[in-house]
Amino acid sequence: MTTVEPPAPVVAEPPGPAVTEPPVAAEPPIPVVVPPGTLAAPAGTRSVPGAPAPSTGAFSLLGPAARRDPYAFYRVLREEHPLLWDGRLGAWLVGRYADVAPALGGDGLAGARGGSCCGPGTVRCAQEYAAPESAFALLREVCARTAYVLARRLADRQEADLVEEFCRWLPTGTIAAAAGLPYAAVLGRSDGPPSRSRAEAPAATDVGRGRGGTGVALLAARCAGQAVLTGRALASLMANLLDNPEQLELVRAVPALIGQAWEESLRRNPPVHVVLRRARHDLAVSGGTIPAGAAVALLVGAANRDPDRFAAPDLFDLHRTAPGALTLGPAHCPGARVAELQAECAVGALLDAMPGLRRADAFEATESGLLTRAPRRLLVRPC
């Protein structure tokens, strides 16, 4: 792949010495919503036709089996318990694709979406703001410059952690530079005002002068709430490519495949594994009926590996043609588009800067998390 220098203007570096890195996002607490008084099966559940028996509590999303290997846990749920009351979580577990996808896209469940835009399975984007194409183009330029700088910093190292030193930086740095927001605000650590006006953000004054810079600043600001989640998705993407060297080399040879690799990684290892909602009315799913008012845990991580929907679902295959993976939102969603362009810039910059990029010897990436999951570390040998 030929290295193409991003545009001359350089995005603002984080405060401090020239090589000082921006703060790393702390893992947020798991916001498990347990409705009051529902540590046992909800009252009235047995009166609902087709309602399944509740769990004893030993088989729970909060239990050791699910934490140790969630994918094995999901498999048992899909095959044996398509609808299960989880007394510890205080919610009905739903894991089959045929149930999760329509529930996410329908109006039978209520609940605020996390973040600033769409989520897995969203059919219609919640954003009323239609960003101009020039804003996406300018944001790509900012992202390309940021990715280039970050990758070059690591290129001569014997070993580097892509999670701590690249994946968590890129979305946050891109959004902060383009929107004129402080790093703390992008990371969700501050509710204060931007450090500068959006019209004065570097993307507006440098890269975007005379080309709609204020528009790119507004687009970036609207996507700020998704930066941390995008960083986790980038970590999973790079882990999948590094675990499949032949597909990594294919992406290196054909950069146009980066988008397909991104979509496949979002399917196999989605950043959001569990979406919590509440039933507006009685809701019929495989295995029974969820009563109105009950809490529901839609297991995106289970649905995306349902063999009834995806052949060989545990494999990472960037040539997969089956549509319908529950990812970050519909194709036209601004947040989903921004996340994808960041993935394209990330992979392109890393492969350009590190021709010999591979996993560190004897290192295996391990996911962690409950509602959201991603590798905490990703040790590589850049050269």
Side-chain angles (χ1 to χ4, degrees):
M1 183 186 302
T2 303
T3 302
V4 179
E5 282 283 349
V10 179
V11 283
E13 293 286 339
V19 296
T20 298
E21 302 176 358
V24 174
E27 289 290 328
I30 297 171
V32 176
V33 179
V34 180
T38 56
L39 292 181
T45 295
R46 287 292 188 174
S47 65
V48 179
S55 165
T56 62
F59 195 71
S60 169
L61 191 63
L62 301 179
R67 290 183 177 274
R68 182 171 57 251
D69 186 351
Y71 299 106
F73 177 84
Y74 295 157
R75 184 165 53 251
V76 174
L77 277 179
R78 287 193 308 263
E79 295 174 357
E80 302 179 15
H81 308 288
L83 178 62
L84 182 74
W85 172 254
D86 187 333
R88 293 181 62 184
L89 182 65
W92 290 101
L93 304 183
V94 180
R96 289 182 178 175
Y97 182 94
D99 297 320
V100 174
L104 285 169
D107 59 2
L109 300 175
R113 293 189 180 97
S116 59
C117 200
C118 297
T122 304
V123 175
R124 186 168 61 89
C125 181
Q127 286 273 22
E128 297 180 356
Y129 168 68
E133 289 302 313
S134 60
F136 289 101
L138 294 177
L139 189 61
R140 182 182 290 274
E141 292 184 26
V142 176
C143 186
R145 168 58 71 179
T146 306
Y148 176 84
V149 171
L150 296 178
R152 289 294 173 181
R153 285 180 176 180
L154 305 178
D156 296 328
R157 299 262 296 274
Q158 290 297 311
E159 187 173 279
D161 183 349
L162 288 187
V163 173
E164 292 288 346
E165 301 176 276
F166 187 89
C167 295
R168 284 180 172 174
W169 279 31
L170 180 60
T172 305
T174 298
I175 297 300
L181 294 169
Y183 281 92
V186 179
L187 294 172
R189 294 175 174 172
S190 171
D191 295 324
S195 57
R196 58 180 73 85
S197 73
R198 290 172 181 168
E200 295 174 346
T205 58
D206 296 335
V207 178
R209 188 183 299 278
R211 292 192 290 150
T214 304
V216 72
L218 180 58
L219 171 64
R222 286 177 175 268
C223 295
Q226 194 167 295
V228 174
L229 194 66
T230 301
R232 292 173 182 161
L234 288 178
S236 294
L237 170 62
M238 292 310 304
N240 277 318
L241 288 172
L242 290 165
D243 285 345
N244 295 272
E246 71 290 346
Q247 297 190 59
L248 177 64
E249 291 309 309
L250 187 57
V251 166
R252 188 192 299 276
V254 187
L257 292 174
I258 295 175
Q260 291 177 222
W262 171 246
E263 289 297 317
E264 173 66 352
S265 184
L266 290 175
R267 180 204 65 82
R268 184 179 186 271
N269 301 90
V272 177
H273 269 234
V274 182
V275 175
L276 296 170
R277 294 286 184 267
R278 190 173 296 277
R280 296 180 186 272
H281 49 73
D282 290 353
L283 189 65
V285 297
S286 299
T289 301
I290 300 171
V296 184
L298 300 171
L299 306 183
V300 175
N304 275 347
R305 294 204 187 190
D306 191 335
D308 289 340
R309 178 68 184 193
F310 305 101
D314 293 334
L315 297 181
F316 176 79
D317 180 7
L318 60 83
H319 295 299
R320 190 179 297 277
T321 57
L326 307 175
T327 56
L328 295 178
H332 62 277
C333 167
R337 289 187 62 185
V338 167
E340 183 172 1
L341 75 83
Q342 290 175 331
E344 292 169 350
C345 291
V347 176
L350 288 170
L351 296 186
D352 277 347
M354 307 173 190
L357 179 65
R358 62 193 186 280
R359 284 192 314 177
D361 298 340
F363 175 78
E364 292 187 10
T366 303
E367 289 183 338
S368 62
L370 176 61
L371 300 189
T372 63
R373 287 184 67 82
R376 292 283 186 97
R377 303 178 70 206
L378 189 53
L379 299 183
V380 299
R381 295 183 67 84
C383 56

